[in-house]
Amino acid sequence: MNNKKRLIFCDSLPAAELCPKIAAGGQDCLFIALTPDVKVRLQELRLPVSDTLPYFPSVAHEKALHASKEAVDRLRFQINFVDLGLGLKTAYRDIFIYWFRFVVHYCLFMIELINAAIQQHQPSEMIVFNYCQTGKNGIYVEPEDNYLAELIKAISEKAGLDYKIVQVPKAGIFPTHLLSRAKQLAGLFRIRVYGKDLKSNPSTRPIVLTSPTYRMDKLAKDLAKEFPSRPVTFLAGALSMDIDLPGWLLAFLSGGKSAELKEQIKMCAEFSNKVANERSGFVYKGVCYADILADKIKKYYTGFVLMLLLASLLLDRELGCLNPEAVLSNVSRIDDLLLAELCQAKNIPNILLSHGSHVKPKNTAEIIEWGEHGIQFLSAPFSHIAVQTPTTKQYFDAFPTDAELTKTGPVTWGTKVDRSRSGALFQSLFGKKFEREKVKIIMHAGTPKASGSLRFFVYETCDEYIQGIRELAEVVNQSDNLLLVVKFRPSKEISVATLKKLIPFSDRVVLSVVEPLLDVLGLADLVVSFSSTAIDEALQNCIPVLQYGGVGRYQHLKAVEIGDEALSPAAVFHLNGQDDLHDGLQRLFALKLDPSIFDPYIYPKTECKSIAQLIKEKVRIT
């Protein structure tokens, strides 16, 4: 046990700048950084710092997940929504629960972490920050919500510890979002006031795609060639749920539904009060977090619900104006579930092309996680679903759907790589120090979840993500025949500068940020990941995968375990910890892998239909 007199929980960079003054008190202290960016800044300030890894082990992930299920099931049917007469049945509730679940997860994560830190260090005083700049609305919990201070206070009082709250002064913030919000509002006015301008020619009803993201823009071009006499277009951008509109503007945009909006505000207030009063239903490790949930409902999620109602009205109007022959969705918009139910009510064929990978659960924890995840991404009432891989089909074996499933092979992901580009990229990343034919190249790609958007079991925390990369990089740096490319997408808790400080990059270990994923994948002899669509991207290109990270708690796909036994050829491997990583990689690369081992993950072309064929046969568009 490493006793410390004071534990200081730091959750933002502005708070980190106040930490040297706290440390100057001279008492033995430990700063617990809740994000990697904060950890690096505290290290730069030469302060004693720990990340979250010692306080949130794998067993805690599963305990928190089961507590989440109990809380979310309690919430799921307590909130009510007004009926706008659009034919929507479950979309409002499902969208609300999907996002509000992250608020529950934040509370459970912090309670688990704080209690573990107290148990390990036996402090006499707890210190946390309180932000003067409040009212920063958002789907996720932000430091400015000051919920961490509430939890520290409750846990300290329960444990009989002193606690101190340090004020973080206001910081000037330039509202860079205002221009985009203004453009969006202009688009809303166009739909509301000038909707008749959007009317399509009844003889050439368009094919509508929901978003150009995740390669849907390429699909739109392909469909335009396949259906040259028919318009192929995109919906207007999704309505932001963060716009705080005045009542008169909401009433105007809603087209005479102001009474229903007022009724919804009343329903949300009743829901918030019910959550606050039902305290026994929201307790974890003896700590009640009901007040935090109720406060977030009042401060943000009431507005969120109103914007969902408004979004449904505007989507209904836009669909009425466009009168599409079919709608193709990749579920990358916050309102895709609304759109699916609206299409169902209007008898408009709605085809889903999921932008991510979903797999068949192998245990109770995975059933919970993938079940909740699928409600937002796969379970809406689509008329047809493009099944891009056999693993996706296995998901629907576990979670059946009423939609008609059609094998398409990869459309929005899983595209074949162009290996002719790899030579130039190899030189760009590694220079001339290594000969390509004498080395094996590993690509690491992952999808870490920030503290405000945790999924406890099937994704890594940011600290777990960095730990996995660091362990892999240390092994590669000690090898003679291995190179590593870390494919990285910066996030609000891990910047490029932070990653460079925490990972031992070298001639052998390089960072890729701007290079396209498929180009880097074309270089790879092996993909290492914990849970990511990159796993499926690799398998579609007959590149083996090593599932690694999170202390081995999760296997995205069933895999051959790398252990003491003889290693069999496979497409997917799994390894628990760093001790076996060096030997495991060498044994893996020594295997002769026949291309046929990838067949279970790839649909034969003879069994697949293109999206154009699906539209022609199922929607009967010519």
Side-chain angles (χ1 to χ4, degrees):
M1 185 176 294
N2 183 14
N3 290 359
K4 298 288 182 181
K5 288 188 177 180
R6 296 186 297 168
L7 289 182
I8 303 96
F9 294 81
C10 189
D11 58 353
S12 75
L13 292 174
E17 298 305 321
L18 303 177
C19 289
K21 186 176 180 181
I22 296 172
Q27 292 179 315
D28 189 21
C29 62
L30 176 66
F31 293 87
I32 298 178
L34 300 182
T35 77
D37 282 349
V38 169
K39 178 182 178 179
V40 165
R41 181 57 186 146
L42 293 175
Q43 288 176 334
E44 292 171 346
L45 293 169
R46 300 182 181 279
L47 298 173
V49 59
S50 172
D51 54 32
T52 64
L53 289 172
Y55 317 111
F56 200 66
S58 288
V59 64
H61 283 261
E62 196 157 356
K63 286 181 180 178
L65 177 62
H66 286 282
S68 159
K69 185 180 188 312
E70 292 179 7
V72 170
D73 285 348
R74 186 178 297 274
L75 290 165
R76 196 181 306 275
F77 297 104
Q78 288 189 355
I79 184 168
N80 295 312
F81 298 91
V82 298
D83 182 4
L84 297 176
L86 303 178
L88 296 174
K89 299 173 183 176
T90 64
Y92 296 137
R93 184 194 69 204
D94 290 343
I95 295 172
F96 177 90
I97 288 295
Y98 176 83
W99 293 102
F100 196 69
R101 185 172 180 252
F102 292 133
V103 183
V104 174
H105 283 197
Y106 174 89
C107 296
L108 298 175
F109 174 63
M110 291 303 173
I111 292 170
E112 184 74 48
L113 187 150
I114 296 163
N115 274 290
I118 291 173
Q119 185 176 1
Q120 289 186 36
H121 300 296
Q122 298 293 302
S124 57
E125 184 182 39
M126 307 278 281
I127 299 177
V128 69
F129 297 92
N130 190 79
Y131 296 82
C132 298
Q133 185 167 309
T134 58
K136 181 181 179 182
N137 285 337
I139 286 178
Y140 308 115
V141 174
E142 303 287 350
E144 293 85 356
D145 288 322
N146 289 321
Y147 296 150
L148 180 60
E150 291 186 32
L151 291 171
I152 292 283
K153 178 177 180 291
I155 294 171
S156 297
E157 290 177 347
K158 181 175 178 291
L161 297 174
D162 292 334
Y163 64 90
K164 179 181 178 182
I165 295 177
V166 177
Q167 297 295 328
V168 179
K170 289 184 179 181
I173 298 178
F174 180 76
T176 56
H177 63 286
L178 291 182
L179 180 59
S180 63
R181 297 284 173 81
K183 289 181 178 178
Q184 186 180 65
L185 286 173
L188 296 181
F189 270 96
R190 179 170 180 263
I191 294 172
R192 172 69 180 86
V193 183
Y194 304 108
K196 293 180 181 179
D197 295 345
L198 298 175
K199 286 284 186 183
S200 61
N201 186 327
S203 64
T204 55
R205 295 168 61 194
I207 299 171
V208 173
L209 291 79
T210 58
S211 167
T213 60
Y214 296 98
R215 305 176 196 170
M216 292 282 274
D217 52 348
K218 180 181 181 302
L219 177 61
K221 292 178 182 178
D222 293 342
L223 292 175
K225 293 177 182 177
E226 194 71 30
F227 303 100
S229 62
R230 187 173 299 277
V232 177
T233 187
F234 292 98
L235 285 179
L239 179 62
S240 172
M241 299 298 137
D242 290 338
I243 301 179
D244 188 15
L245 297 179
W248 65 268
L249 186 52
L250 268 173
F252 174 75
L253 292 172
S254 68
K257 296 288 185 178
S258 57
E260 286 86 346
L261 297 182
K262 290 178 181 178
E263 179 63 21
Q264 186 62 63
I265 292 173
K266 179 182 176 183
M267 288 181 176
C268 287
E270 292 172 350
F271 176 50
S272 176
N273 291 334
K274 187 183 299 183
V275 170
N277 293 329
E278 198 172 330
R279 306 185 68 78
S280 62
F282 304 103
V283 175
Y284 186 59
K285 295 204 164 186
V287 180
C288 179
Y289 57 96
D291 288 340
I292 290 176
L293 301 183
D295 185 72
K296 192 67 172 175
I297 293 167
K298 288 180 181 178
K299 288 183 177 178
Y300 176 74
Y301 274 86
T302 297
F304 176 86
V305 168
L306 292 178
M307 296 308 285
L308 281 181
L309 297 180
L310 179 59
S312 65
L313 290 167
L314 296 172
L315 274 175
D316 181 71
R317 184 172 180 83
E318 189 172 7
L319 286 175
C321 293
L322 291 171
N323 190 26
E325 192 78 65
V327 174
L328 279 66
S329 171
N330 65 355
V331 200
S332 64
R333 295 165 50 125
I334 200 168
D335 57 4
D336 270 300
L337 269 68
L338 301 174
L339 186 64
E341 286 201 335
L342 288 171
C343 286
Q344 183 186 50
K346 295 176 179 293
N347 293 315
I348 299 171
N350 190 11
I351 303 169
L352 167 67
L353 301 91
S354 173
H355 73 277
S357 59
H358 298 77
V359 297
K360 184 177 181 177
K362 300 174 286 297
N363 53 50
T364 301
E366 293 178 28
I367 289 172
I368 296 171
E369 284 280 38
W370 286 119
E372 291 290 347
H373 197 262
I375 289 173
Q376 172 72 12
F377 289 92
L378 295 174
S379 299
F382 299 101
S383 58
H384 301 80
I385 296 178
V387 182
Q388 301 184 57
T389 67
T391 54
T392 302
K393 173 61 171 65
Q394 292 165 12
Y395 176 93
F396 288 114
D397 292 340
F399 299 101
T401 175
D402 292 332
E404 184 173 337
L405 304 180
T406 300
K407 297 178 185 177
T408 61
V411 179
T412 56
W413 49 268
T415 304
K416 293 296 181 183
V417 299
D418 181 1
R419 294 189 182 275
S420 65
R421 299 165 62 95
S422 63
L425 182 58
F426 180 81
Q427 294 292 329
S428 173
L429 291 173
F430 294 103
K432 298 181 179 180
K433 186 172 182 177
F434 305 102
E435 297 179 48
R436 177 65 184 93
E437 62 274 9
K438 294 183 178 180
V439 295
K440 295 293 185 181
I441 298 178
I442 302 167
M443 182 185 86
H444 182 282
T447 312
K449 297 302 177 183
S451 57
S453 56
L454 291 174
R455 298 193 184 108
F456 286 130
F457 198 78
V458 302
Y459 288 98
E460 296 166 293
T461 67
C462 288
D463 286 332
E464 287 179 325
Y465 168 78
I466 287 173
Q467 179 189 41
I469 299 174
R470 184 174 61 246
E471 292 172 352
L472 184 60
E474 289 170 353
V475 168
V476 170
N477 278 328
Q478 297 299 316
S479 71
D480 295 325
N481 65 329
L482 303 179
L483 303 178
L484 172 62
V485 181
V486 178
K487 194 73 190 79
F488 176 64
R489 181 170 57 187
S491 66
K492 68 176 185 178
E493 293 188 356
I494 314 176
S495 67
V496 170
T498 288
L499 198 70
K500 288 181 176 179
K501 289 285 182 66
L502 296 176
I503 303 300
F505 288 105
S506 65
D507 291 341
R508 289 186 173 275
V509 179
V510 300
L511 178 63
S512 170
V513 178
V514 299
E515 294 81 6
L517 172 67
L518 289 181
D519 289 356
V520 180
L521 186 63
L523 274 179
D525 299 297
L526 176 72
V527 167
V528 176
S529 183
F530 180 81
S531 176
S532 171
T533 305
I535 292 174
D536 296 272
E537 298 268 14
L539 295 174
Q540 294 301 309
N541 284 281
C542 298
I543 299 169
V545 171
L546 173 62
Q547 297 176 137
Y548 183 78
V551 200
R553 74 168 173 273
Y554 170 68
Q555 291 186 28
H556 189 65
L557 295 172
K558 189 175 180 180
V560 168
E561 195 72 38
I562 300 178
D564 296 332
E565 298 79 14
L567 192 60
S568 302
V572 184
F573 300 86
H574 180 260
L575 202 154
N576 277 326
Q578 187 179 20
D579 290 345
D580 298 321
L581 187 54
H582 178 272
D583 290 343
L585 288 170
Q586 297 300 335
R587 291 167 63 197
L588 191 159
F589 281 124
L591 294 171
K592 300 297 183 183
L593 302 182
D594 189 277
S596 63
I597 64 171
F598 296 96
D599 289 349
Y601 307 95
I602 303 173
Y603 278 134
K605 289 185 178 180
T606 54
E607 296 182 9
C608 296
K609 295 180 180 178
S610 69
I611 298 301
Q613 286 177 300
L614 191 159
I615 291 174
K616 289 175 182 178
E617 294 178 14
K618 305 299 182 181
V619 185
R620 304 188 185 282
I621 298 179
T622 59

